[in-house]
Amino acid sequence: MVKELANQLQLNQAIGDWVAAHTGVTAVSSDTLEVATTAIDSYGDTVYCFVQQVGERYLVTDDGRMLFKLDPGISDTDLYETTAEIALGAGYDFNEENCEISVQVEQDNLAQAIVKLAQLQVAISYLG
């Protein structure tokens, strides 16, 4: 049992190390970071999240890019309604004006919010 636990801890560390090594974080402006996640969408593209500090909290967003990618002409109203329902159901906000999926979190929840938003974007990418 102890050996299994040690192997599990090594595996947890190895997974964390791999994710860290394959996640890119780039400053795109003085107040915004772009995070190239390990997630891949239905088109085979890397999923990106954007992070801005807002006071003591952080805004994590897709910058409206997922829906723009799926429907740049903004013609599929069912797609937008479904996406809004999915985002809201997952605890994220949906801005109807710019089709941005976002959430504000404390620093302690920042990594989790990024990973979950990336997963959400992957799921939404299969709607298109």
PDB file of all heavy atoms in Angstrom, residues 66-107:
ATOM      1  N   MET A  66     -13.848  31.543 -29.057  1.00  0.00           N
ATOM      2  CA  MET A  66     -14.391  30.233 -29.419  1.00  0.00           C
ATOM      3  C   MET A  66     -15.611  30.373 -30.323  1.00  0.00           C
ATOM      4  O   MET A  66     -15.699  29.740 -31.361  1.00  0.00           O
ATOM      5  CB  MET A  66     -14.744  29.422 -28.167  1.00  0.00           C
ATOM      6  CG  MET A  66     -15.272  28.024 -28.486  1.00  0.00           C
ATOM      7  SD  MET A  66     -14.282  27.039 -29.647  1.00  0.00           S
ATOM      8  CE  MET A  66     -12.797  26.772 -28.717  1.00  0.00           C
ATOM      9  N   LEU A  67     -16.546  31.218 -29.936  1.00  0.00           N
ATOM     10  CA  LEU A  67     -17.733  31.363 -30.779  1.00  0.00           C
ATOM     11  C   LEU A  67     -17.421  32.064 -32.088  1.00  0.00           C
ATOM     12  O   LEU A  67     -18.019  31.754 -33.121  1.00  0.00           O
ATOM     13  CB  LEU A  67     -18.849  32.082 -30.022  1.00  0.00           C
ATOM     14  CG  LEU A  67     -19.605  31.164 -29.082  1.00  0.00           C
ATOM     15  CD1 LEU A  67     -20.621  31.936 -28.261  1.00  0.00           C
ATOM     16  CD2 LEU A  67     -20.294  30.039 -29.833  1.00  0.00           C
ATOM     17  N   PHE A  68     -16.471  32.989 -32.079  1.00  0.00           N
ATOM     18  CA  PHE A  68     -16.067  33.622 -33.338  1.00  0.00           C
ATOM     19  C   PHE A  68     -15.498  32.571 -34.285  1.00  0.00           C
ATOM     20  O   PHE A  68     -15.771  32.586 -35.486  1.00  0.00           O
ATOM     21  CB  PHE A  68     -15.046  34.739 -33.099  1.00  0.00           C
ATOM     22  CG  PHE A  68     -14.613  35.397 -34.376  1.00  0.00           C
ATOM     23  CD1 PHE A  68     -15.429  36.336 -34.987  1.00  0.00           C
ATOM     24  CD2 PHE A  68     -13.417  35.058 -34.973  1.00  0.00           C
ATOM     25  CE1 PHE A  68     -15.052  36.929 -36.187  1.00  0.00           C
ATOM     26  CE2 PHE A  68     -13.026  35.652 -36.164  1.00  0.00           C
ATOM     27  CZ  PHE A  68     -13.844  36.597 -36.775  1.00  0.00           C
ATOM     28  N   LYS A  69     -14.739  31.649 -33.731  1.00  0.00           N
ATOM     29  CA  LYS A  69     -14.154  30.576 -34.538  1.00  0.00           C
ATOM     30  C   LYS A  69     -15.248  29.679 -35.125  1.00  0.00           C
ATOM     31  O   LYS A  69     -15.177  29.278 -36.282  1.00  0.00           O
ATOM     32  CB  LYS A  69     -13.217  29.746 -33.665  1.00  0.00           C
ATOM     33  CG  LYS A  69     -12.495  28.648 -34.368  1.00  0.00           C
ATOM     34  CD  LYS A  69     -11.605  27.932 -33.359  1.00  0.00           C
ATOM     35  CE  LYS A  69     -10.548  27.140 -34.031  1.00  0.00           C
ATOM     36  NZ  LYS A  69      -9.600  26.578 -33.080  1.00  0.00           N
ATOM     37  N   LEU A  70     -16.262  29.375 -34.322  1.00  0.00           N
ATOM     38  CA  LEU A  70     -17.331  28.485 -34.767  1.00  0.00           C
ATOM     39  C   LEU A  70     -18.305  29.162 -35.723  1.00  0.00           C
ATOM     40  O   LEU A  70     -18.843  28.527 -36.626  1.00  0.00           O
ATOM     41  CB  LEU A  70     -18.112  27.948 -33.558  1.00  0.00           C
ATOM     42  CG  LEU A  70     -17.340  27.041 -32.609  1.00  0.00           C
ATOM     43  CD1 LEU A  70     -18.219  26.678 -31.421  1.00  0.00           C
ATOM     44  CD2 LEU A  70     -16.843  25.797 -33.318  1.00  0.00           C
ATOM     45  N   ASP A  71     -18.569  30.441 -35.506  1.00  0.00           N
ATOM     46  CA  ASP A  71     -19.584  31.148 -36.301  1.00  0.00           C
ATOM     47  C   ASP A  71     -19.204  32.625 -36.446  1.00  0.00           C
ATOM     48  O   ASP A  71     -19.798  33.494 -35.801  1.00  0.00           O
ATOM     49  CB  ASP A  71     -20.944  31.008 -35.614  1.00  0.00           C
ATOM     50  CG  ASP A  71     -22.084  31.619 -36.418  1.00  0.00           C
ATOM     51  OD1 ASP A  71     -21.992  31.665 -37.662  1.00  0.00           O
ATOM     52  OD2 ASP A  71     -23.066  32.047 -35.786  1.00  0.00           O
ATOM     53  N   PRO A  72     -18.208  32.921 -37.299  1.00  0.00           N
ATOM     54  CA  PRO A  72     -17.745  34.307 -37.408  1.00  0.00           C
ATOM     55  C   PRO A  72     -18.816  35.267 -37.909  1.00  0.00           C
ATOM     56  O   PRO A  72     -18.756  36.464 -37.630  1.00  0.00           O
ATOM     57  CB  PRO A  72     -16.570  34.226 -38.370  1.00  0.00           C
ATOM     58  CG  PRO A  72     -16.660  32.906 -39.030  1.00  0.00           C
ATOM     59  CD  PRO A  72     -17.468  32.017 -38.148  1.00  0.00           C
ATOM     60  N   GLY A  73     -19.806  34.782 -38.611  1.00  0.00           N
ATOM     61  CA  GLY A  73     -20.875  35.636 -39.123  1.00  0.00           C
ATOM     62  C   GLY A  73     -21.993  35.886 -38.129  1.00  0.00           C
ATOM     63  O   GLY A  73     -22.959  36.580 -38.429  1.00  0.00           O
ATOM     64  N   ILE A  74     -21.884  35.297 -36.952  1.00  0.00           N
ATOM     65  CA  ILE A  74     -22.876  35.418 -35.884  1.00  0.00           C
ATOM     66  C   ILE A  74     -24.284  35.134 -36.425  1.00  0.00           C
ATOM     67  O   ILE A  74     -25.230  35.871 -36.213  1.00  0.00           O
ATOM     68  CB  ILE A  74     -22.810  36.807 -35.205  1.00  0.00           C
ATOM     69  CG1 ILE A  74     -21.378  37.158 -34.838  1.00  0.00           C
ATOM     70  CG2 ILE A  74     -23.672  36.830 -33.943  1.00  0.00           C
ATOM     71  CD1 ILE A  74     -21.206  38.573 -34.316  1.00  0.00           C
ATOM     72  N   SER A  75     -24.411  34.029 -37.130  1.00  0.00           N
ATOM     73  CA  SER A  75     -25.693  33.711 -37.756  1.00  0.00           C
ATOM     74  C   SER A  75     -26.448  32.573 -37.079  1.00  0.00           C
ATOM     75  O   SER A  75     -27.652  32.441 -37.262  1.00  0.00           O
ATOM     76  CB  SER A  75     -25.462  33.349 -39.230  1.00  0.00           C
ATOM     77  OG  SER A  75     -24.587  32.234 -39.327  1.00  0.00           O
ATOM     78  N   ASP A  76     -25.760  31.753 -36.288  1.00  0.00           N
ATOM     79  CA  ASP A  76     -26.383  30.582 -35.666  1.00  0.00           C
ATOM     80  C   ASP A  76     -26.848  30.924 -34.253  1.00  0.00           C
ATOM     81  O   ASP A  76     -26.132  30.707 -33.280  1.00  0.00           O
ATOM     82  CB  ASP A  76     -25.388  29.434 -35.652  1.00  0.00           C
ATOM     83  CG  ASP A  76     -25.991  28.114 -35.201  1.00  0.00           C
ATOM     84  OD1 ASP A  76     -27.118  28.119 -34.650  1.00  0.00           O
ATOM     85  OD2 ASP A  76     -25.335  27.077 -35.381  1.00  0.00           O
ATOM     86  N   THR A  77     -28.067  31.430 -34.134  1.00  0.00           N
ATOM     87  CA  THR A  77     -28.574  31.853 -32.823  1.00  0.00           C
ATOM     88  C   THR A  77     -28.704  30.679 -31.856  1.00  0.00           C
ATOM     89  O   THR A  77     -28.512  30.853 -30.647  1.00  0.00           O
ATOM     90  CB  THR A  77     -29.929  32.577 -32.951  1.00  0.00           C
ATOM     91  OG1 THR A  77     -30.855  31.721 -33.621  1.00  0.00           O
ATOM     92  CG2 THR A  77     -29.771  33.884 -33.717  1.00  0.00           C
ATOM     93  N   ASP A  78     -29.022  29.496 -32.362  1.00  0.00           N
ATOM     94  CA  ASP A  78     -29.112  28.316 -31.498  1.00  0.00           C
ATOM     95  C   ASP A  78     -27.754  28.001 -30.861  1.00  0.00           C
ATOM     96  O   ASP A  78     -27.685  27.632 -29.689  1.00  0.00           O
ATOM     97  CB  ASP A  78     -29.605  27.091 -32.276  1.00  0.00           C
ATOM     98  CG  ASP A  78     -31.078  27.183 -32.646  1.00  0.00           C
ATOM     99  OD1 ASP A  78     -31.807  27.952 -31.983  1.00  0.00           O
ATOM    100  OD2 ASP A  78     -31.494  26.488 -33.591  1.00  0.00           O
ATOM    101  N   LEU A  79     -26.691  28.152 -31.633  1.00  0.00           N
ATOM    102  CA  LEU A  79     -25.350  27.912 -31.114  1.00  0.00           C
ATOM    103  C   LEU A  79     -25.047  28.866 -29.960  1.00  0.00           C
ATOM    104  O   LEU A  79     -24.525  28.454 -28.926  1.00  0.00           O
ATOM    105  CB  LEU A  79     -24.311  28.094 -32.221  1.00  0.00           C
ATOM    106  CG  LEU A  79     -22.849  28.032 -31.794  1.00  0.00           C
ATOM    107  CD1 LEU A  79     -22.490  26.655 -31.249  1.00  0.00           C
ATOM    108  CD2 LEU A  79     -21.951  28.400 -32.976  1.00  0.00           C
ATOM    109  N   TYR A  80     -25.407  30.130 -30.119  1.00  0.00           N
ATOM    110  CA  TYR A  80     -25.136  31.129 -29.080  1.00  0.00           C
ATOM    111  C   TYR A  80     -25.981  30.875 -27.835  1.00  0.00           C
ATOM    112  O   TYR A  80     -25.479  30.992 -26.711  1.00  0.00           O
ATOM    113  CB  TYR A  80     -25.352  32.536 -29.625  1.00  0.00           C
ATOM    114  CG  TYR A  80     -24.269  32.899 -30.609  1.00  0.00           C
ATOM    115  CD1 TYR A  80     -24.366  32.546 -31.941  1.00  0.00           C
ATOM    116  CD2 TYR A  80     -23.127  33.551 -30.185  1.00  0.00           C
ATOM    117  CE1 TYR A  80     -23.354  32.843 -32.832  1.00  0.00           C
ATOM    118  CE2 TYR A  80     -22.108  33.867 -31.064  1.00  0.00           C
ATOM    119  CZ  TYR A  80     -22.226  33.504 -32.391  1.00  0.00           C
ATOM    120  OH  TYR A  80     -21.213  33.788 -33.269  1.00  0.00           O
ATOM    121  N   GLU A  81     -27.227  30.500 -28.021  1.00  0.00           N
ATOM    122  CA  GLU A  81     -28.087  30.209 -26.876  1.00  0.00           C
ATOM    123  C   GLU A  81     -27.602  28.972 -26.125  1.00  0.00           C
ATOM    124  O   GLU A  81     -27.554  28.963 -24.889  1.00  0.00           O
ATOM    125  CB  GLU A  81     -29.532  30.015 -27.341  1.00  0.00           C
ATOM    126  CG  GLU A  81     -30.197  31.307 -27.798  1.00  0.00           C
ATOM    127  CD  GLU A  81     -31.574  31.077 -28.404  1.00  0.00           C
ATOM    128  OE1 GLU A  81     -32.108  29.941 -28.325  1.00  0.00           O
ATOM    129  OE2 GLU A  81     -32.121  32.042 -28.969  1.00  0.00           O
ATOM    130  N   THR A  82     -27.221  27.951 -26.868  1.00  0.00           N
ATOM    131  CA  THR A  82     -26.717  26.723 -26.248  1.00  0.00           C
ATOM    132  C   THR A  82     -25.414  26.998 -25.500  1.00  0.00           C
ATOM    133  O   THR A  82     -25.222  26.533 -24.377  1.00  0.00           O
ATOM    134  CB  THR A  82     -26.504  25.623 -27.309  1.00  0.00           C
ATOM    135  OG1 THR A  82     -27.745  25.368 -27.964  1.00  0.00           O
ATOM    136  CG2 THR A  82     -25.979  24.348 -26.682  1.00  0.00           C
ATOM    137  N   THR A  83     -24.534  27.765 -26.118  1.00  0.00           N
ATOM    138  CA  THR A  83     -23.269  28.106 -25.474  1.00  0.00           C
ATOM    139  C   THR A  83     -23.504  28.882 -24.184  1.00  0.00           C
ATOM    140  O   THR A  83     -22.867  28.614 -23.159  1.00  0.00           O
ATOM    141  CB  THR A  83     -22.370  28.909 -26.426  1.00  0.00           C
ATOM    142  OG1 THR A  83     -22.075  28.091 -27.560  1.00  0.00           O
ATOM    143  CG2 THR A  83     -21.081  29.339 -25.749  1.00  0.00           C
ATOM    144  N   ALA A  84     -24.416  29.831 -24.231  1.00  0.00           N
ATOM    145  CA  ALA A  84     -24.729  30.610 -23.027  1.00  0.00           C
ATOM    146  C   ALA A  84     -25.233  29.690 -21.922  1.00  0.00           C
ATOM    147  O   ALA A  84     -24.803  29.804 -20.760  1.00  0.00           O
ATOM    148  CB  ALA A  84     -25.757  31.689 -23.345  1.00  0.00           C
ATOM    149  N   GLU A  85     -26.114  28.767 -22.248  1.00  0.00           N
ATOM    150  CA  GLU A  85     -26.641  27.832 -21.259  1.00  0.00           C
ATOM    151  C   GLU A  85     -25.539  26.955 -20.672  1.00  0.00           C
ATOM    152  O   GLU A  85     -25.482  26.733 -19.455  1.00  0.00           O
ATOM    153  CB  GLU A  85     -27.723  26.950 -21.882  1.00  0.00           C
ATOM    154  CG  GLU A  85     -29.007  27.686 -22.206  1.00  0.00           C
ATOM    155  CD  GLU A  85     -30.007  26.824 -22.961  1.00  0.00           C
ATOM    156  OE1 GLU A  85     -29.811  25.581 -23.037  1.00  0.00           O
ATOM    157  OE2 GLU A  85     -30.981  27.380 -23.479  1.00  0.00           O
ATOM    158  N   ILE A  86     -24.654  26.475 -21.520  1.00  0.00           N
ATOM    159  CA  ILE A  86     -23.551  25.624 -21.065  1.00  0.00           C
ATOM    160  C   ILE A  86     -22.613  26.413 -20.160  1.00  0.00           C
ATOM    161  O   ILE A  86     -22.218  25.939 -19.094  1.00  0.00           O
ATOM    162  CB  ILE A  86     -22.791  25.024 -22.268  1.00  0.00           C
ATOM    163  CG1 ILE A  86     -23.682  24.017 -22.993  1.00  0.00           C
ATOM    164  CG2 ILE A  86     -21.480  24.385 -21.820  1.00  0.00           C
ATOM    165  CD1 ILE A  86     -23.121  23.541 -24.325  1.00  0.00           C
ATOM    166  N   ALA A  87     -22.255  27.611 -20.589  1.00  0.00           N
ATOM    167  CA  ALA A  87     -21.331  28.440 -19.800  1.00  0.00           C
ATOM    168  C   ALA A  87     -21.932  28.766 -18.436  1.00  0.00           C
ATOM    169  O   ALA A  87     -21.271  28.611 -17.401  1.00  0.00           O
ATOM    170  CB  ALA A  87     -20.987  29.716 -20.556  1.00  0.00           C
ATOM    171  N   LEU A  88     -23.161  29.208 -18.434  1.00  0.00           N
ATOM    172  CA  LEU A  88     -23.821  29.560 -17.178  1.00  0.00           C
ATOM    173  C   LEU A  88     -23.970  28.331 -16.280  1.00  0.00           C
ATOM    174  O   LEU A  88     -23.769  28.404 -15.064  1.00  0.00           O
ATOM    175  CB  LEU A  88     -25.170  30.210 -17.442  1.00  0.00           C
ATOM    176  CG  LEU A  88     -25.114  31.572 -18.155  1.00  0.00           C
ATOM    177  CD1 LEU A  88     -26.506  32.024 -18.569  1.00  0.00           C
ATOM    178  CD2 LEU A  88     -24.431  32.614 -17.289  1.00  0.00           C
ATOM    179  N   GLY A  89     -24.302  27.204 -16.869  1.00  0.00           N
ATOM    180  CA  GLY A  89     -24.438  25.965 -16.105  1.00  0.00           C
ATOM    181  C   GLY A  89     -23.124  25.502 -15.489  1.00  0.00           C
ATOM    182  O   GLY A  89     -23.112  24.832 -14.461  1.00  0.00           O
ATOM    183  N   ALA A  90     -22.009  25.874 -16.111  1.00  0.00           N
ATOM    184  CA  ALA A  90     -20.691  25.508 -15.598  1.00  0.00           C
ATOM    185  C   ALA A  90     -20.159  26.530 -14.597  1.00  0.00           C
ATOM    186  O   ALA A  90     -19.045  26.389 -14.091  1.00  0.00           O
ATOM    187  CB  ALA A  90     -19.705  25.363 -16.757  1.00  0.00           C
ATOM    188  N   GLY A  91     -20.953  27.574 -14.332  1.00  0.00           N
ATOM    189  CA  GLY A  91     -20.530  28.586 -13.367  1.00  0.00           C
ATOM    190  C   GLY A  91     -19.769  29.751 -13.964  1.00  0.00           C
ATOM    191  O   GLY A  91     -19.157  30.537 -13.251  1.00  0.00           O
ATOM    192  N   TYR A  92     -19.796  29.873 -15.274  1.00  0.00           N
ATOM    193  CA  TYR A  92     -19.121  30.961 -15.976  1.00  0.00           C
ATOM    194  C   TYR A  92     -20.149  31.978 -16.443  1.00  0.00           C
ATOM    195  O   TYR A  92     -21.343  31.681 -16.525  1.00  0.00           O
ATOM    196  CB  TYR A  92     -18.312  30.422 -17.169  1.00  0.00           C
ATOM    197  CG  TYR A  92     -17.057  29.724 -16.710  1.00  0.00           C
ATOM    198  CD1 TYR A  92     -17.114  28.471 -16.117  1.00  0.00           C
ATOM    199  CD2 TYR A  92     -15.821  30.330 -16.831  1.00  0.00           C
ATOM    200  CE1 TYR A  92     -15.979  27.844 -15.661  1.00  0.00           C
ATOM    201  CE2 TYR A  92     -14.674  29.713 -16.373  1.00  0.00           C
ATOM    202  CZ  TYR A  92     -14.756  28.468 -15.790  1.00  0.00           C
ATOM    203  OH  TYR A  92     -13.633  27.854 -15.321  1.00  0.00           O
ATOM    204  N   ASP A  93     -19.695  33.163 -16.759  1.00  0.00           N
ATOM    205  CA  ASP A  93     -20.556  34.206 -17.302  1.00  0.00           C
ATOM    206  C   ASP A  93     -20.492  34.152 -18.820  1.00  0.00           C
ATOM    207  O   ASP A  93     -19.504  33.680 -19.397  1.00  0.00           O
ATOM    208  CB  ASP A  93     -20.102  35.591 -16.827  1.00  0.00           C
ATOM    209  CG  ASP A  93     -20.212  35.745 -15.321  1.00  0.00           C
ATOM    210  OD1 ASP A  93     -21.212  35.269 -14.748  1.00  0.00           O
ATOM    211  OD2 ASP A  93     -19.285  36.322 -14.722  1.00  0.00           O
ATOM    212  N   PHE A  94     -21.543  34.653 -19.471  1.00  0.00           N
ATOM    213  CA  PHE A  94     -21.566  34.745 -20.930  1.00  0.00           C
ATOM    214  C   PHE A  94     -22.026  36.143 -21.305  1.00  0.00           C
ATOM    215  O   PHE A  94     -23.124  36.557 -20.938  1.00  0.00           O
ATOM    216  CB  PHE A  94     -22.506  33.701 -21.534  1.00  0.00           C
ATOM    217  CG  PHE A  94     -22.516  33.728 -23.038  1.00  0.00           C
ATOM    218  CD1 PHE A  94     -21.474  33.165 -23.749  1.00  0.00           C
ATOM    219  CD2 PHE A  94     -23.557  34.329 -23.724  1.00  0.00           C
ATOM    220  CE1 PHE A  94     -21.466  33.197 -25.131  1.00  0.00           C
ATOM    221  CE2 PHE A  94     -23.561  34.365 -25.107  1.00  0.00           C
ATOM    222  CZ  PHE A  94     -22.520  33.791 -25.815  1.00  0.00           C
ATOM    223  N   ASN A  95     -21.182  36.873 -22.013  1.00  0.00           N
ATOM    224  CA  ASN A  95     -21.491  38.227 -22.454  1.00  0.00           C
ATOM    225  C   ASN A  95     -22.077  38.144 -23.860  1.00  0.00           C
ATOM    226  O   ASN A  95     -21.378  37.793 -24.812  1.00  0.00           O
ATOM    227  CB  ASN A  95     -20.220  39.089 -22.442  1.00  0.00           C
ATOM    228  CG  ASN A  95     -20.489  40.522 -22.808  1.00  0.00           C
ATOM    229  OD1 ASN A  95     -21.301  40.821 -23.678  1.00  0.00           O
ATOM    230  ND2 ASN A  95     -19.784  41.422 -22.152  1.00  0.00           N
ATOM    231  N   GLU A  96     -23.353  38.475 -23.988  1.00  0.00           N
ATOM    232  CA  GLU A  96     -24.037  38.364 -25.277  1.00  0.00           C
ATOM    233  C   GLU A  96     -23.517  39.362 -26.303  1.00  0.00           C
ATOM    234  O   GLU A  96     -23.615  39.120 -27.506  1.00  0.00           O
ATOM    235  CB  GLU A  96     -25.538  38.531 -25.092  1.00  0.00           C
ATOM    236  CG  GLU A  96     -26.162  37.385 -24.327  1.00  0.00           C
ATOM    237  CD  GLU A  96     -27.663  37.518 -24.158  1.00  0.00           C
ATOM    238  OE1 GLU A  96     -28.269  38.339 -24.864  1.00  0.00           O
ATOM    239  OE2 GLU A  96     -28.207  36.793 -23.313  1.00  0.00           O
ATOM    240  N   GLU A  97     -22.962  40.484 -25.853  1.00  0.00           N
ATOM    241  CA  GLU A  97     -22.479  41.508 -26.785  1.00  0.00           C
ATOM    242  C   GLU A  97     -21.229  41.070 -27.535  1.00  0.00           C
ATOM    243  O   GLU A  97     -21.095  41.322 -28.726  1.00  0.00           O
ATOM    244  CB  GLU A  97     -22.205  42.811 -26.041  1.00  0.00           C
ATOM    245  CG  GLU A  97     -23.464  43.496 -25.556  1.00  0.00           C
ATOM    246  CD  GLU A  97     -23.170  44.783 -24.821  1.00  0.00           C
ATOM    247  OE1 GLU A  97     -22.078  45.360 -25.012  1.00  0.00           O
ATOM    248  OE2 GLU A  97     -24.033  45.200 -24.039  1.00  0.00           O
ATOM    249  N   ASN A  98     -20.299  40.434 -26.830  1.00  0.00           N
ATOM    250  CA  ASN A  98     -19.064  40.030 -27.503  1.00  0.00           C
ATOM    251  C   ASN A  98     -18.832  38.514 -27.473  1.00  0.00           C
ATOM    252  O   ASN A  98     -17.768  38.042 -27.853  1.00  0.00           O
ATOM    253  CB  ASN A  98     -17.854  40.760 -26.899  1.00  0.00           C
ATOM    254  CG  ASN A  98     -17.657  40.452 -25.432  1.00  0.00           C
ATOM    255  OD1 ASN A  98     -18.301  39.571 -24.876  1.00  0.00           O
ATOM    256  ND2 ASN A  98     -16.765  41.190 -24.802  1.00  0.00           N
ATOM    257  N   CYS A  99     -19.822  37.772 -26.993  1.00  0.00           N
ATOM    258  CA  CYS A  99     -19.794  36.299 -26.945  1.00  0.00           C
ATOM    259  C   CYS A  99     -18.632  35.754 -26.127  1.00  0.00           C
ATOM    260  O   CYS A  99     -18.114  34.674 -26.383  1.00  0.00           O
ATOM    261  CB  CYS A  99     -19.776  35.727 -28.347  1.00  0.00           C
ATOM    262  SG  CYS A  99     -21.181  36.263 -29.325  1.00  0.00           S
ATOM    263  N   GLU A 100     -18.245  36.497 -25.122  1.00  0.00           N
ATOM    264  CA  GLU A 100     -17.130  36.125 -24.271  1.00  0.00           C
ATOM    265  C   GLU A 100     -17.614  35.255 -23.108  1.00  0.00           C
ATOM    266  O   GLU A 100     -18.602  35.566 -22.460  1.00  0.00           O
ATOM    267  CB  GLU A 100     -16.480  37.400 -23.735  1.00  0.00           C
ATOM    268  CG  GLU A 100     -15.296  37.183 -22.843  1.00  0.00           C
ATOM    269  CD  GLU A 100     -14.723  38.505 -22.384  1.00  0.00           C
ATOM    270  OE1 GLU A 100     -15.374  39.168 -21.546  1.00  0.00           O
ATOM    271  OE2 GLU A 100     -13.640  38.871 -22.864  1.00  0.00           O
ATOM    272  N   ILE A 101     -16.890  34.184 -22.861  1.00  0.00           N
ATOM    273  CA  ILE A 101     -17.125  33.315 -21.712  1.00  0.00           C
ATOM    274  C   ILE A 101     -16.078  33.698 -20.670  1.00  0.00           C
ATOM    275  O   ILE A 101     -14.889  33.770 -20.989  1.00  0.00           O
ATOM    276  CB  ILE A 101     -16.977  31.839 -22.098  1.00  0.00           C
ATOM    277  CG1 ILE A 101     -17.932  31.482 -23.231  1.00  0.00           C
ATOM    278  CG2 ILE A 101     -17.202  30.940 -20.878  1.00  0.00           C
ATOM    279  CD1 ILE A 101     -17.631  30.157 -23.897  1.00  0.00           C
ATOM    280  N   SER A 102     -16.506  33.958 -19.437  1.00  0.00           N
ATOM    281  CA  SER A 102     -15.543  34.429 -18.440  1.00  0.00           C
ATOM    282  C   SER A 102     -15.979  34.075 -17.025  1.00  0.00           C
ATOM    283  O   SER A 102     -17.122  33.692 -16.787  1.00  0.00           O
ATOM    284  CB  SER A 102     -15.382  35.947 -18.546  1.00  0.00           C
ATOM    285  OG  SER A 102     -16.600  36.585 -18.193  1.00  0.00           O
ATOM    286  N   VAL A 103     -15.043  34.258 -16.112  1.00  0.00           N
ATOM    287  CA  VAL A 103     -15.309  34.098 -14.693  1.00  0.00           C
ATOM    288  C   VAL A 103     -14.273  34.927 -13.940  1.00  0.00           C
ATOM    289  O   VAL A 103     -13.147  35.086 -14.399  1.00  0.00           O
ATOM    290  CB  VAL A 103     -15.245  32.608 -14.258  1.00  0.00           C
ATOM    291  CG1 VAL A 103     -13.850  32.044 -14.362  1.00  0.00           C
ATOM    292  CG2 VAL A 103     -15.815  32.407 -12.871  1.00  0.00           C
ATOM    293  N   GLN A 104     -14.674  35.485 -12.799  1.00  0.00           N
ATOM    294  CA  GLN A 104     -13.728  36.171 -11.920  1.00  0.00           C
ATOM    295  C   GLN A 104     -13.459  35.281 -10.718  1.00  0.00           C
ATOM    296  O   GLN A 104     -14.398  34.735 -10.127  1.00  0.00           O
ATOM    297  CB  GLN A 104     -14.283  37.521 -11.463  1.00  0.00           C
ATOM    298  CG  GLN A 104     -14.111  38.590 -12.489  1.00  0.00           C
ATOM    299  CD  GLN A 104     -14.255  39.988 -11.895  1.00  0.00           C
ATOM    300  OE1 GLN A 104     -14.068  40.191 -10.694  1.00  0.00           O
ATOM    301  NE2 GLN A 104     -14.607  40.935 -12.747  1.00  0.00           N
ATOM    302  N   VAL A 105     -12.179  35.149 -10.384  1.00  0.00           N
ATOM    303  CA  VAL A 105     -11.786  34.261  -9.290  1.00  0.00           C
ATOM    304  C   VAL A 105     -10.682  34.891  -8.446  1.00  0.00           C
ATOM    305  O   VAL A 105     -10.003  35.819  -8.879  1.00  0.00           O
ATOM    306  CB  VAL A 105     -11.288  32.896  -9.819  1.00  0.00           C
ATOM    307  CG1 VAL A 105     -12.394  32.139 -10.524  1.00  0.00           C
ATOM    308  CG2 VAL A 105     -10.077  33.064 -10.727  1.00  0.00           C
ATOM    309  N   GLU A 106     -10.515  34.331  -7.262  1.00  0.00           N
ATOM    310  CA  GLU A 106      -9.395  34.678  -6.398  1.00  0.00           C
ATOM    311  C   GLU A 106      -8.145  33.987  -6.953  1.00  0.00           C
ATOM    312  O   GLU A 106      -8.242  33.010  -7.701  1.00  0.00           O
ATOM    313  CB  GLU A 106      -9.656  34.192  -4.965  1.00  0.00           C
ATOM    314  CG  GLU A 106     -10.917  34.722  -4.331  1.00  0.00           C
ATOM    315  CD  GLU A 106     -10.858  36.212  -4.038  1.00  0.00           C
ATOM    316  OE1 GLU A 106      -9.751  36.725  -3.785  1.00  0.00           O
ATOM    317  OE2 GLU A 106     -11.928  36.847  -4.071  1.00  0.00           O
ATOM    318  N   GLN A 107      -6.986  34.451  -6.542  1.00  0.00           N
ATOM    319  CA  GLN A 107      -5.733  33.882  -7.028  1.00  0.00           C
ATOM    320  C   GLN A 107      -5.641  32.383  -6.732  1.00  0.00           C
ATOM    321  O   GLN A 107      -5.132  31.616  -7.553  1.00  0.00           O
ATOM    322  CB  GLN A 107      -4.535  34.608  -6.429  1.00  0.00           C
ATOM    323  CG  GLN A 107      -3.221  34.133  -7.003  1.00  0.00           C
ATOM    324  CD  GLN A 107      -2.044  34.962  -6.543  1.00  0.00           C
ATOM    325  OE1 GLN A 107      -2.196  35.924  -5.810  1.00  0.00           O
ATOM    326  NE2 GLN A 107      -0.866  34.598  -6.981  1.00  0.00           N
TER     327      GLN A 107
END
